Amino acid sequence: MNSKQIRQTFLDFFAEKSHQIVPSAPMVLKDDPTLMFTNAGMNQFKEYFLGNSEPKNNRVADSQKCLRVSGKHNDLEEVGVDTYHHTMFEMLGNWSFGDYFKKEAIDWAWELLTEVYKIPKDHLYVTIFEGDDTEGLSRDTEAYDFWKQHIAEDRILNGNKKDNFWEMGAQGPCGPCSEIHVDIRSDKEKQEVDGATLVNMDHPQVIEIWNLVFMQFNRLADGSLENLPAQHVDTGMGFERLAMVLQGVKSNYDTDVFQPLIREIETITGHAYGKTEQEDIAIRVIADHVRAVSFSIADGQLPSNNGAGYVIRMILRRAIRYGFTYLDRKEPFIYQLVTTLSKQLGEAFPELKSQKNLILNVIKEEEISFLRTLENGLALLDSMIANLKSQGQDTLEGKKAFELNDTYGFPKELTRLILSEQQLKMDEEGFTAALKKQQESSRKASETETSDWVILGDDDTQEFIGYDKLDAKVRISKYRKITTKKDGDRYQLVFNMTPFYGESGGQTGDKGYIEGVNGDTVYIIDTKKENGQTVHITKNLPKELGGTFIVQVDQKQRFRTSANHTATHLLHQGLRKILGTHVEQKGSMVRSASLRFDFSHFSKVTIEELKQVEDFVNARIAEQLQLEENRNNTYEDAIKDGAIGLFGEKYGDVVRTIKFGSSYELCGGTHVKNTSDVWHFKITNESAVAAGIRRIEAITGDAVKDFFYDQSKHFEQIKALLKNAKEPVTAIQSLQEENSNLKKEIEELKKAKAGNLKQELIDSAEDINGVQFIASKTDLDAKSVKDLAFSIDKEITNLFLIIGSNAGDKATLTVIISKDLVDQKKLNAGQIVRELGKFIQGGGGGQPHFATAGGKNPAGIDQALQAARELLN
Ligand code: ATP
Ligand code: MG
């Protein structure tokens, strides 16, 4: 069975059992503060488990793109080293939301694996939760009894809390789980060692393929468990591992999911797979990582310096380093794999096809810049090595190795390897200590303490009414306290309904206030969306929490934000019209003060194009287009109808569409009622964000008024300074010209002055005990003084020249002493200026022949000159 058929068979099987088949959610998460990436199939359904919203269908199945590179599930270090953990993988899953439970989950998993996929029963083992005294949890005998119907009892193994109790995070839904493991070793190996002893022992051919989780508890902040109101099933099966089993190979990388990529890496690098362990690991790392990075970019997450973007950058850099170290790749090459990847997976994931060029360019750019960093790091390491050798040492300090790692992305393995080539060692303990120290401090900085929700009323729908209203009478359904280092204590409030828009889709959250009956008012400083609910953030709690409240959104701010959102749609339309339909939205930020829009386009947008875009948007504003809003569309119908959706965005069953004339988008944000409300649109900046991605910043409405007011004020000021010249530009040009002519003239004059001065000084030379002494004060600049001193030195023997110069409040002493004097009389200009520097309240130094001192007391120059003369007496 090829991988495509394997995936389809899974979905067909569960569709047959009345499951709704849903698309994979984006891999990069947008409204979950506890999670950057989807790391399990259940993430997109979290709100159902938490009871924040009701599912449309209580049986669902899908194939979900997952990424396990951060937080609780981080497999990064295993990837490539073993043959069955990936950064990005597909998780096949089926769910019951308060519907079927353990029996059906177990029966169907068994039926699918043994009857449909036809995995021999004696290749399988299952595990059940053995119980845990400290938690007060007993053995999952229910699951045991259901398994007994299908499989020999000696193949049902007990598992501990670590392996068989699944938790989403430190808090939240959890429950016992039951895993299915498969033994794909040869018959001979199976005879020698009993497979049951290898389950959960990290054996590469006795591995877990499917985990059936039975959600029945909720973990509270104090660590205790409470029963969930309803019981759920959440399963996840590794698609690539299943393919390995069904295709009869011993490694995920030998399946048709990875083989095309590996062949391509062999062709590009000239290194064959299967020769040495190190090269194989490198090839697996690259084949794996190019998938993770490509899917993230397609999801809208570009590599960057923080958050999710940083994680993506680190994954790509890991691949580059492996290529650099073990496959001798000093030039970019990973980007070339994107073509193969898009050919292979482009059908199942069309985003890889449509965004191929963007993905390819972004990866290439990252490769170029990181290879440059690596080279700088190499040069630094070389100099560290030379230093070690010159000092007769053989171990590089751990702190230095860590610095290489931290600043230049040098993994310690690479540093160790290069050192060992030179018969040197690395201080491993020092490295670990430096790493620990850094991790500790960043952990402390980001520590968050989250209390449990305090529920005040749970029958509420938490409906959003903010498209129509900006105020409401509400009740507080629940609240909790969040404490962070950065902000201190904050409260999150959830209302039974709310007019507040929670930050999402690039639009910032509303601000406003909540007022109790007694006039007790608390400000809402921000509003966010978390796991499907709107949370209002305050610094304090209202004194009375029960009863009703009036809540009010800050109207002015909301209006400006809405105008900017509408303008963003018009801008998007204008860019596609003027630059072409290759323009795709890659990010947007809609605030009350301004808007920002990132989009794919391969060259700088010219001034003429920007003007056309601006004109386009302003023409739509002038047309006074009425908002046409549809809150009850389906995704398919909206797209068919011509609405533009965003890739990497999670759309529900019901979507909202926003139309202004022929601008037509899927959008959950707030908008003005008519484009004329935007008043005027002005682009303030255009720049590059990454390879192939441009950014436009713009303003609307009152901000434009302020902008024009400022501009004209400045212009008036300039004109006034130019004595109200009719043509200010010409006036400035002629000032500039005049200025440069004057500069030239000054240079000439300075030279002439120095020439005169030179002669004057030579004439003033005084013989003191055989030394030709010249002392002088001048206001020439440092360079002229130096030139002057050297040119006098050429003409006079036995010279001791000291020049004191002052420019503004700075004083300089310059001393030049003929070389023969230096030798004969042991005079040293360096020492002398250091002494004399005291008079001008400064210091200096230099060579015995020539030296200067700088100070801040020009008044002391005379004294310094006098002191110099006394030196010779
Ligand atoms: P393992 O112990 O092998 O790391 P897990 O206990 O972390 O697996 P689960 O969280 O239960 O796995 O995920 C469900 C299924 O997803 C697993 O049974 C496995 O088939 C698959 N899976 C988990 N992690 C990975 C990964 N990094 N790469 C590929 N498949 C994975
Ligand atoms: Mg794991």
Side-chain angles (χ1 to χ4, degrees), residues 1-13 63 90 92 117 239-240 242-244 246-247 255-258 260 291 341-350 353:
M1 225 188 245
N2 68 30
S3 53
K4 225 172 104 186
Q5 292 160 332
I6 293 172
R7 188 190 294 112
Q8 198 53 49
T9 303
F10 179 89
L11 299 176
D12 291 347
F13 178 84
S63 164
E90 282 180 66
L92 304 168
Y117 287 134
F239 169 64
E240 298 77 7
L242 178 65
M244 161 173 82
L246 300 183
Q247 294 177 2
T255 64
D256 65 344
V257 181
F258 283 96
R291 282 168 31 110
L341 184 66
S342 121
K343 260 193 221 140
Q344 182 201 350
L345 285 179
E347 202 179 315
F349 302 95
K353 236 189 219 160

Side-chain angles (χ1 to χ4, degrees), residues 566 570 573 617 619-628 659-663 672-677:
T566 300
L570 300 176
Q573 189 194 10
V617 175
R620 302 292 80 75
I621 293 170
E623 278 172 10
Q624 307 193 355
L625 301 167
Q626 196 62 28
L627 162 70
E628 294 170 63
K659 205 171 178 179
F660 287 101
S662 49
S663 152
V672 289
K673 297 271 172 284
N674 188 294
T675 57
S676 62
D677 293 333

Side-chain angles (χ1 to χ4, degrees), residues 68 73 75 85:
R68 292 198 166 181
H73 290 286
D75 293 336
H85 278 98

Side-chain angles (χ1 to χ4, degrees), residues 39-40 68 73 75 79 84-91 163 166 179-180 200 202 207-211 213 236-241 252:
N39 63 21
R68 292 198 166 181
H73 290 286
D75 293 336
V79 175
Y84 58 102
H85 278 98
H86 302 297
T87 52
M88 186 231 144
F89 62 100
E90 282 180 66
M91 197 187 280
D163 286 322
W166 202 90
E179 303 164 340
I180 304 170
N200 271 334
D202 294 334
I207 57 160
E208 176 191 330
I209 53 167
W210 202 349
N211 193 357
V213 182
M237 171 151 62
F239 169 64
E240 298 77 7
R241 291 187 192 179
N252 287 10

Side-chain angles (χ1 to χ4, degrees), residues 786-802:
K786 187 177 174 187
D787 291 346
L788 179 65
F790 276 90
S791 76
I792 295 176
D793 181 48
K794 269 195 210 127
E795 299 198 16
I796 295 188
T797 47
N798 291 340
L799 172 72
F800 183 121
L801 166 74
I802 175 163

